[in-house]
Amino acid sequence: MTPTQTNIVLSAESLSKVYGEGPLRVEALKPKSFTARAGEVVAILGPSGSGKSTLLTILGLINPPTTGSLRIGPTQVIENGRAVANLDQQRRQQIGFVFQRSNLIPFLNAEENVRLALELDDVPPAQSRTRARTILESLGLGKRLHALPSRLSGGEAQRVAIARALIHKPAIVLADEPTASLDSHRGRQVMELFREAAHAQGAAVLVVTHDHRTLDLVDRILEMEDGVLTEKAYAAPGETSHA
Amino acid sequence: MMDLAVRDIRHDLGRFVLTAVGLGMLLSVVLAMTGIYNGMVVDATVVPDSLGADLWVVQRDSQGPFAESSRVPQRLAERLRAIPGVARTRSYVAFNVQQTTPEGVTRRFMAAGLSWPDDHGDMLPLAQGRALRAPHYELVADASLNLPLGSQFKIGRDAYSVVGVTRGMVSSSGDPMLFVSIADALKIQNDLANEAMRIETEARIGRVKRSSFGRDPASLERAAQSQLPALAPPPVSAVLLDLEPGQDVESVRERLSHWPDITVYTTDEQRALLVRGVIDRARRQIGLFRSLLVIISAIVMGLIVYTMTLDKMHSLALLKLLGARRIVILRLIIEEALLLGLLSFVVALLIGEFMFDLFPRRVLVGDADRLALALVVAGISVAAGVVGLRKALSADPNQVLAS
Ligand SMILES: Nc1ncnc2c1ncn2[C@@H]1O[C@H](COP(=O)(O)OP(=O)(O)OP(=O)(O)O)[C@@H](O)[C@H]1O
Ligand SMILES: [Mg+2]
C-alpha cells in the first residue's frame, strides 16, 4: 500500500440518496465517490437545500444511503446501500459529531457530557473522568467542568461538544455548521481546534459551513450544488502532509 | 456507565418530588382502602372476639345477635347451665341507642348487657379504670364515646357512672360499645321503649282529638289507655356458653341440636356471619373502589412517565446519535419510572403512618398490605416505563440535526 492509501480514514463509493417517490422524489445526493485522509479538515459548502446535511447524516450512519458503499477507519460499514457492521458501535467508536447547537444533554454537566462518549462504549468511569478532565482543561474549560449546559456560553458549549466529539479518538469528525451560532472570533477558534485535533489525532474532520471567513483554515473544500458534490480546490496543500 | 436516570431526576428534582408526592397521595388512598377494609373486619368481630364464648345460643334460624336480631327467654340460661360440659352461661343483650344532647349533638352507640354477677367485663380491653363492681349504675364505655372516667352519663331514666374506658370496642357498624350489667341493660331498653311508647300515645291522642271522635270523651279515654301488649319477663339477645376445659364443642352442640327454638353457633361461625354477611357489601364496595384507584394510579403514572419521556426526546435522540445501546435508553426510562414509584410508595407509607390514626374508624395496615402495595406499585412503574420506552425508542437522531 502507498502511504496515501494508508492515510485514508473515510472512503465513499458511488454514495447517493433519494428521498421520496414519484412527484415527491428528491435526489438529495447524486452518486459520488470520494475519500478523506487522516489529519484533513474538509469544508463542505453549498446553498441551502443542496444536500449537505443529507451527506453528513449518511456519513454519520444516521440515515442509510440509497446506493453505494462506505468504509470508515478500518471497517467496511456499508456495502451497496446495506449496513454490514453494527452502526451503533461504529458511531460510538469511529465518529465524532458536532452541530450548530443543542449538542449537549441538558441534565449532564460539561464533564459528564464528555465522559458520556466514552462510557457509552463501556470505558470505566474512573478512566473516562480523567480523560474528560484532561481534554476539557486543554480546551480552557478546566473551571467549567461541573457547569450544566444551560450555564455555558455558546462558545464554551461548542468547545465541550468538540471535546466530546474528539475524546474517543474517532476516525472521522462530522460537524454541521458548528460555527453558525458563534461570532467570527469564536468561530475561528473552533475551526482552529478542529485543525489541531485533526492533526494531533489523525482524524478527518468534515465541516459543513457557510462561514467563508474560516476557509483559510481548511485543507480541502467540497462544494455541493443540487445534490452534486464536487471537489473545489486544495487550500494550502502542504498542510496535509503532517506525518 | 454513569447513572443517567439519577442525573436527569436531580436536574429537575423539585418537579420530580412534587410529582411523587401527588402520586404518593393517590397511593395512600389505596393503602387507606386496604386499611379500612381490615379495620372493618376487626371492628366487626371485636365484640364476639373479646367476649370469647365457646358457643352462642340464639333464637331459632336467627343469625344473631350481631348479624340479625335475636330474642331468647331469660330463663334459657338456667336450662343451658344444666347441660353436662357447660361451665358457665352468660346472657347477652345488645341494642343500638341514639341520643341527642341538649346541645344538639347526636350520639350513637351500642349498649350491651354483661351477665352480672358472672361477668363483670373483666375480659374487656380496658385502657382506663376498671370493670364493673356494682350490679347497677356503673358502665364501661369505649373511648370513642368521649365519656371521661368518673363522669355521670344518663341513659333512659337513670344516670350511670363511667368506671372504665375501653379502646377499639365498636359494634360491627363501627359505633362505640357501652357495657352495663344485664339488669341495667334491660331496664334501659325498657325505658327507651316506654319513652317511644309515650311519644306514640301522645301522637295517637293528638290524632283522635283532630278527628271527629275528639268530641267523644270515651274514645279519648280509649286512645289514652290502649297500650302495646307488655312482654314479661323481657327476652335477651343470646346466651353465651363457656365449656369446661377439654370439653368437645361438637358434642355439646349435638346435644342442643334437638332443642326447639334455638340455633347454636361457635364463635368462628359468628365471625364468619359477620364478615360474610354484615360487612360483605361494604367490603366489596371498598374492594371495587380500591381496584379503581389502582387503575387510575396506573393511568396517571403512565401519563407522567410518558410526559417525562417527551421532555427528554432531544436528549434521547442525541444519545442514539452517539451510538447508545438500547439498554442504555431502556435503563434510563425504566429506572426513572421505578424511582418515581419508589418515592411515591414511601410518601404513601409516610402519609399512612401519620394520617391513618386520625380517621374516625379503625384503619389497619399490616406488613403484608405494604408488601402488596409495593408489588402493585412496582408493576405499575414497569408498565408506565414500558409506555415511556415505546416513545423513547422512537427518538430520531435526525431531530438533533434539525434542531
Ligand atoms: N427526510 C427527508 N425527506 C424528504 N426530503 C428531504 C429529507 N431531508 C432532506 N430532504 C430534502 O433533500 C434536500 C437536501 O436537504 P439537506 O437538508 O441535506 O440540505 P442542506 O444542504 O443541509 O440545507 P441547509 O443548508 O438549509 O441545511 C432538500 O431538498 C430537502 O428538502
Ligand atoms: Mg443542513
Side-chain angles (χ1 to χ4, degrees), chain A residues 49-96:
Chain A
S50 58
K52 305 182 295 296
S53 296
T54 298
L55 175 63
L56 230 51
T57 61
I58 292 169
L59 299 179
L61 311 178
I62 297 168
N63 294 326
T66 307
T67 66
S69 303
L70 186 63
R71 170 184 282 272
I72 299 175
T75 319
Q76 189 69 35
V77 183
I78 289 168
E79 189 88 65
N80 294 324
R82 269 206 236 117
V84 290
N86 178 337
L87 300 187
D88 286 341
Q89 186 191 2
Q90 293 305 309
R91 284 208 294 277
R92 291 198 298 271
Q93 297 175 347
Q94 307 246 51
I95 307 176

Side-chain angles (χ1 to χ4, degrees), chain B residues 263-284:
Chain B
T263 299
V264 182
Y265 296 107
T266 63
T267 297
D268 279 348
E269 285 167 345
Q270 273 293 327
R271 300 187 52 168
L273 285 175
L274 284 167
V275 173
R276 268 189 258 115
V278 177
I279 60 170
D280 183 58
R281 267 170 203 282
R283 190 179 63 103
R284 290 213 309 262

Side-chain angles (χ1 to χ4, degrees), chain B residues 121-132:
Chain B
D122 296 306
M123 73 297 164
L124 295 175
L126 285 171
Q128 278 174 39
R130 55 171 176 81
L132 304 183

Side-chain angles (χ1 to χ4, degrees), chain A residues 19-20 24 26-28 46-55 63 176-177 208 210 224, chain B residues 398:
Chain A
Y19 289 115
L24 296 174
V26 178
E27 227 177 336
S48 184
S50 58
K52 305 182 295 296
S53 296
T54 298
L55 175 63
N63 294 326
D176 200 352
E177 305 187 32
V208 169
H210 287 293
M224 194 75 152
Chain B
N398 282 297

